[in-house]
Amino acid sequence: LSAAFAERRVHKRYRAILLGSIGAATAQTIDLSIDGRCALTRLRVVSEVPHVQEGALTTVDLEPVTGRRHQLRRHAAHIGHPILGDDLYVPEDRTGRTGPLFLQCIEVTIPHPSAAASGVNRTVHVRTPEALRFGRRRQRARMGWEYEQSHVSRV
């Protein structure tokens, strides 16, 4: 298994909620070295909801091509959209530093242990649904936005 990780034959996909709106780009690649080593992450926008303080919360899928320490967290912060709940990489002047980290592995594909011996290309593929707290957080953001908009229009 460690050889599969070293040879980049393990595919992982994470779900995260980022602070702010990514904009029109629905997919992008983040290429930023970490500690002097190459680090590459693929990002795909899943959805976006309005948020009172940040303007929006953007749900994304992140796929690390390399595996560096805190790679996904650092790359998200580098593009100006840190992960909600990230107490290390969210700047102090922004909301979203406290609470749980909204980052979850939702899919892993690894080579089957017998694949090397048999010569057959078999994999083990595991998917898990997004945690319920992600949907609840998006709903809270949407409700807060709607409340704010209804009260601003009355003033």
Side-chain angles (χ1 to χ4, degrees):
L1 189 58
S2 61
F5 276 99
E7 296 165 4
R8 296 185 184 157
R9 292 184 292 135
V10 176
H11 174 266
K12 297 168 284 194
R13 185 164 55 109
Y14 292 81
R15 176 71 44 92
I17 296 180
L18 306 185
L19 298 175
S21 174
I22 301 244
T26 58
Q28 60 182 284
T29 301
I30 304 165
D31 185 359
L32 172 73
S33 64
I34 294 175
D35 299 329
R37 298 174 69 195
C38 172
L40 190 67
T41 300
R42 292 187 188 101
L43 177 148
R44 185 180 62 83
V45 175
V46 175
S47 68
E48 186 176 290
V49 296
H51 185 267
V52 174
Q53 291 93 352
E54 290 292 333
L57 294 180
T58 304
T59 302
V60 297
D61 283 348
L62 299 166
E63 297 179 18
V65 177
T66 54
R68 309 290 177 237
R69 183 179 180 141
H70 295 189
Q71 176 176 323
L72 301 178
R73 296 167 72 180
R74 287 177 168 187
H75 279 177
H78 173 74
I79 64 169
H81 302 287
I83 298 171
L84 178 63
D86 192 339
D87 62 343
L88 285 177
Y89 299 105
V90 174
E92 289 186 22
D93 63 338
R94 291 185 72 178
T95 62
R97 282 181 62 88
T98 60
L101 181 67
F102 279 83
L103 177 66
Q104 172 195 350
C105 184
I106 59 170
E107 185 175 3
V108 177
T109 304
I110 60 172
H112 192 278
S114 68
S118 67
V120 178
N121 187 16
R122 295 174 48 195
T123 59
V124 176
H125 184 85
V126 179
R127 275 191 196 156
T128 184
E130 173 187 277
L132 294 176
R133 67 188 175 96
F134 281 67
R136 288 192 302 260
R137 187 62 186 93
R138 285 189 296 267
Q139 182 62 26
R140 278 185 45 216
R142 189 177 294 110
M143 289 171 52
W145 176 267
E146 290 168 357
Y147 177 84
E148 185 75 15
Q149 295 306 304
S150 68
H151 281 70
V152 167
S153 62
R154 291 183 191 172
V155 176

